[in-house]
Amino acid sequence: MIQQSSIDALRRIEIPPQSLFIGGRWQPAETEEAVDCISPIDGRHLTTIARASRADVDRAVQSARLAFEAGRWSRMAPAGRKKVLLRIAEIIEARALELAVLGVRDNGTEIGMALRAEPGSAAATFRYYGEAIDKIYGEIAPTGPSVLGLVHREAVGVVGAIVPWNMPLMIGAWKLAPALAMGNSLVLKPAEAASLTLLKLAEICAEAGLPEGVLNVVTGSGSVVGEAIGMHMDVDVLAFTGSNGVGRRLLEYSARSNLKRVYLELGGKSPNVIFADAPDLAKAAAVAANGIFRNSGQVCVAGSRLLVQRGVHDEMVGRISAHATAMKVGDPLSLETDIGAVSSERQLESNLDYVKRAEGDGGRRVVGGERILQETGGYYMRPAVFDAITPDMTLAREEVFGPLLAVIPFEDEADAIRIANSTEYGLAAAVWTSDLSTAHRMVRAIQAGIVHVNTYGGSDLTVPLGGHKQSGNGHDKSLHALEKYTSLKTAWFQL
Ligand code: NAD
C-alpha cells in the first residue's frame, strides 16, 4: 500500500540538470544550451535537459553501431540477454514509486495511473520480452529432398526510437525491450516534455548489465534531434509513437536518406459504441468516463467519440456527465486525485481552443471544459461532455488529446458502423451490447487495431497494439512486435 507521505518525500527531491547518455556514460551536449523542464503541476521550473545537436546524435549512432558490430550484445547468447532484461524489470519494480513520482512531476499524469501504466507496464514489458528471448526459433522450410532451406531471424542493427510525452516509460519500454531482446542497439529520443524517466531508465539498464553503447538516450528538440535520427544513414529502423504530422515526416526522412524501415504508432479518434441493449448502462458510463478522461484525455486509445443509440441517448449523457462532474481534478501527486494536470500550457490552450470550436460548430457543452485551479500556477481543466455533435464537426474528426468527449447519437447498426469508420483514424474502439452476433459483426466492421466488447481500454502484453488506416502501421506489444526489430535471412543448401 503506497503512503501519501512517501510520495510527498519524493516530490521534494531536487533534480539536477540532465546530460546525454551515450556510450554507457553521461556526456554533455556539444553546446551548453539546455531545454527547461516546466512542471505542469505548478508551472514551476523543475530542471533542464540537454539540447543535443546533430553532432551529438551522430556520436550516439556511432556508439550504437560500434556496440552492435562488436557483438557485446548482438552476439551474446540468448540466455545472457534474457538475464539482463529480467534484471532491468526487477530494478524498475524496486524503484517504481521513485520513477512514477519523477514522471508525474514532469508530465502531470495522476499518480495512481502513472504507477500502473509507467513503471508497472515497463517492468512487465521487459519481463515479457526477456522471457521470450530463448523461445524464439528459426524455421526449416518444407523444401524438396535435395535442398535445405533455413530461415534465420537476425537483429537489424541500429534502431532509432522516438517517443511522445504521454506514458514515456511504458511506450519507451514497448520499443526498447523487443528491440534489445533481438540483439539490436538503440538511440532513443524522448519528448522534450517528458525525458526524465527515460534518462533514469538508461541508468537502470546499465546497472542491470546492458553493455555500453547498446542504449543511448539523446534529448532535445524534435526538429533537430528527431530529424537527425530520422535522416541518419546508419540508422536501420525507426520506431515512432506520436502525432500523425511527425509520422509523415519520418516517412519523408526515410525516403530522403537510406530507406530505413519506419514503424508508426499514431493518433486516434476512437469510437465507443453503446447499443440500447448494452448489458449494464451504469457500468458502460463509468468505464467510458475513465476511457476518455483519465490522464486528462492524453491517451492514444482514448474513447473520444461516444456513439449512443437513440433510445438510451439521454440516459447515457446524464450518466456520463455525472461522472465527469464527480471526478476530482487536481494535484496529480495526491492519491485522491482522479485527473491530474494537462501536460503543458500549450496543450491546455489547444484543449480550450477545441472547446470554443465545438461550441462554435453547434455542439452543446453539457458539463466542464473550463480551466480551473489557475492559482496553483499549474495546467488543469474540467473534463467536458459535448452533446449534439455530428460526424462532420471538428470535435468528431480531429484528435484533441484532451479531456473532451463528443457524444454522437445513432439509429441502428449500419448507422453506427458508418459513423465509427468516418474518421481518418483507426486505433481503438469499443462496442457495448448483449447480442453476441451484433458484437461479432461490429468487431469485423469497425476499422481499428483493437475493438473492445463490453469494456473499454483493457489489454495486456499478450496482444498487439497498433493502428489501422492513418493511425499507423506497426505493432507494439505481443510477439508480433519482434518482427519490427528483426530481418529474415534464408540459407539455401544444395545437398
Ligand atoms: P509529437 O508527434 O509531437 O512528438 C513525438 C516525438 O516526436 C517527440 O519525441 C518529438 O520531440 C518528436 N518530434 C517532433 N518533431 C519531430 C520532427 N520534425 N522529426 C522527428 N521527430 C520529431 O507527439 P506528442 O505530442 O509527443 O504525443 C502525442 C501524440 O502521440 C498524439 O497524437 C497521440 O495520439 C500519439 N500517441 C500514439 C500512441 C499509439 O500507440 N498509437 C501512443 C501514445 C501517443
Side-chain angles (χ1 to χ4, degrees):
M1 186 72 183
I2 305 280
Q3 300 294 321
Q4 185 64 50
S5 54
S6 313
I7 295 172
D8 292 338
L10 286 164
R11 79 187 297 164
R12 287 192 286 271
I13 292 176
E14 287 256 328
I15 308 167
Q18 305 286 299
S19 315
L20 308 176
F21 192 80
I22 298 178
R25 59 192 179 86
W26 296 110
Q27 299 195 21
E30 187 189 39
T31 69
E32 279 178 11
E33 267 183 71
V35 181
D36 286 317
C37 301
I38 304 297
S39 178
I41 299 177
D42 52 14
R44 294 219 186 116
H45 184 265
L46 194 58
T47 185
T48 58
I49 51 171
R51 188 185 286 281
S53 65
R54 276 168 219 288
D56 293 319
V57 170
D58 196 43
R59 267 194 301 144
V61 174
Q62 279 182 34
S63 151
R65 176 60 62 189
L66 274 176
F68 185 75
E69 298 295 339
R72 288 191 290 272
W73 181 252
S74 52
R75 291 196 292 276
M76 185 187 279
R81 293 206 301 273
K82 169 180 174 171
K83 215 165 148 185
V84 174
L85 261 62
L86 294 183
R87 181 78 190 119
I88 294 171
E90 278 168 18
I91 304 176
I92 292 173
E93 266 165 1
R95 294 172 64 176
L97 189 61
E98 173 202 337
L99 285 164
V101 172
L102 180 67
V104 171
R105 293 172 76 189
D106 212 7
N107 75 357
T109 300
E110 51 276 4
I111 185 71
M113 184 178 199
L115 266 165
R116 273 194 314 280
E118 285 281 87
S121 297
T125 303
F126 277 98
R127 183 160 289 125
Y128 178 86
Y129 290 106
E131 285 168 351
I133 289 178
D134 54 3
K135 296 165 192 72
I136 307 286
Y137 291 76
E139 295 163 15
I140 300 176
T143 56
S146 60
V147 289
L148 173 64
L150 302 180
V151 183
H152 296 276
R153 197 186 282 270
E154 292 185 341
V156 188
V158 175
V159 174
I162 303 178
V163 297
W165 45 258
N166 69 318
M167 310 295 171
L169 205 52
M170 175 178 83
I171 294 172
W174 287 351
K175 316 283 185 210
L176 297 187
L180 290 173
M182 301 316 285
N184 297 280
S185 293
L186 287 115
V187 176
L188 169 69
K189 188 225 172 286
E192 298 89 309
S195 293
L196 302 179
T197 51
L198 287 171
L199 288 164
K200 268 281 179 264
L201 182 61
E203 194 179 276
I204 289 172
C205 290
E207 185 187 332
L210 190 69
E212 63 186 44
V214 175
L215 171 61
N216 305 274
V217 183
V218 186
T219 55
S221 78
S223 56
V224 174
V225 178
E227 182 178 317
I229 294 172
M231 288 292 294
H232 206 288
M233 294 299 288
D234 211 17
V235 170
D236 303 297
V237 176
L238 280 180
F240 174 74
T241 296
S243 62
N244 288 39
V246 176
R248 277 176 205 278
R249 280 173 188 256
L250 297 191
L251 291 169
E252 283 175 24
Y253 299 154
S254 167
R256 284 164 46 206
S257 58
N258 60 345
L259 292 177
K260 55 181 69 65
R261 280 149 63 169
V262 182
Y263 296 106
L264 305 174
E265 304 289 336
L266 306 174
K269 191 75 202 177
S270 301
N272 188 0
V273 184
I274 319 278
F275 281 94
D277 70 349
D280 183 345
L281 285 180
K283 182 178 164 206
V287 173
N290 266 323
I292 173 63
F293 298 137
R294 297 307 295 269
N295 198 23
S296 304
Q298 301 163 142
V299 177
C300 56
V301 294
S304 51
R305 290 184 295 151
L306 191 72
L307 276 54
V308 188
Q309 196 159 20
R310 287 248 183 239
V312 292
H313 169 268
D314 293 354
E315 180 183 348
M316 275 305 288
V317 170
R319 283 184 186 275
I320 202 148
S321 300
H323 281 290
T325 308
M327 289 173 106
K328 189 169 182 302
V329 183
D331 177 8
L333 286 171
S334 161
L335 285 166
E336 288 173 3
T337 294
D338 296 313
I339 303 176
V342 174
S343 73
S344 66
E345 191 161 27
R346 204 177 71 174
Q347 185 64 38
L348 177 64
E349 277 164 10
S350 161
N351 293 347
L352 298 174
D353 198 45
Y354 272 110
V355 169
K356 273 198 220 135
R357 285 164 72 183
E359 285 180 319
D361 284 351
R364 183 173 73 87
R365 174 146 59 123
V366 186
V367 292
E370 60 276 355
R371 182 173 187 179
I372 54 168
L373 301 172
Q374 214 159 342
E375 66 284 3
T376 62
Y379 317 128
Y380 301 90
M381 72 178 285
R382 279 211 182 288
V385 176
F386 278 87
D387 193 14
I389 298 294
T390 54
D392 56 320
M393 290 183 189
T394 307
L395 197 63
R397 286 185 293 105
E398 292 186 15
E399 182 186 47
V400 176
F401 220 53
L404 273 61
L405 179 68
V407 181
I408 308 172
F410 70 86
E411 302 296 338
D412 54 19
E413 195 176 311
D415 199 26
I417 293 168
R418 184 184 57 77
I419 299 170
N421 290 336
S422 66
T423 73
E424 68 192 37
Y425 294 108
L427 191 54
V431 181
W432 297 75
T433 175
S434 298
D435 186 324
L436 209 53
S437 302
T438 306
H440 279 292
R441 282 195 301 271
M442 291 297 287
V443 167
R444 288 187 185 170
I446 294 181
Q447 297 163 323
I450 182 167
V451 183
H452 304 90
V453 177
N454 293 336
T455 185
Y456 196 95
S459 83
D460 68 18
L461 279 161
T462 59
V463 291
L465 173 73
H468 290 194
K469 295 159 75 180
Q470 292 184 39
S471 286
N473 62 359
H475 282 103
D476 282 328
K477 310 198 301 171
S478 85
L479 296 181
H480 292 287
L482 298 172
E483 291 152 20
K484 299 191 290 189
Y485 307 109
T486 46
S487 297
L488 298 181
K489 180 186 278 175
T490 299
W492 188 258
F493 292 76
Q494 186 66 51
L495 303 181

